Amino acid sequence: MVKKHSCPQCGSRNIKWIDPQMSLWRCSKCGYRGSVVIEDGDLEKQVKQARKMDKLQNKLIRGR
């Protein structure tokens, strides 16, 4: 089974391994750089849903 890697910040699968020695990853969508990535499709969906909820919450707080 092939592991699918996702960005922990935005949930995008457009993440590349840029430094194998330091296990450094870079997300092309949000610019995240780090050694932590998500390797589970269910977690990816949860991250995306959490980001949507944060945006909705912020809109409700601002009154827009």
Side-chain angles (χ1 to χ4, degrees):
M1 184 165 128
V2 177
K3 292 183 181 178
K4 296 179 182 177
H5 297 98
S6 302
C7 175
Q9 194 165 352
C10 70
S12 171
R13 286 200 175 143
N14 197 1
I15 192 161
K16 304 287 183 200
W17 199 13
I18 58 172
D19 188 357
Q21 289 180 336
M22 295 179 63
S23 185
L24 210 82
W25 296 81
R26 183 178 176 278
C27 177
S28 299
K29 185 175 179 183
C30 71
Y32 167 79
R33 283 181 174 229
S35 59
V36 177
V37 292
I38 298 172
E39 293 184 348
D40 183 6
D42 292 336
L43 287 176
E44 176 191 3
K45 289 176 187 175
Q46 290 176 3
V47 167
K48 285 182 179 180
Q49 287 177 344
R51 300 270 299 169
K52 284 181 184 179
M53 291 303 291
D54 285 344
K55 286 181 183 180
L56 271 172
Q57 220 171 18
N58 287 337
K59 284 182 181 180
L60 288 172
I61 290 171
R62 289 185 299 213
R64 293 183 181 180

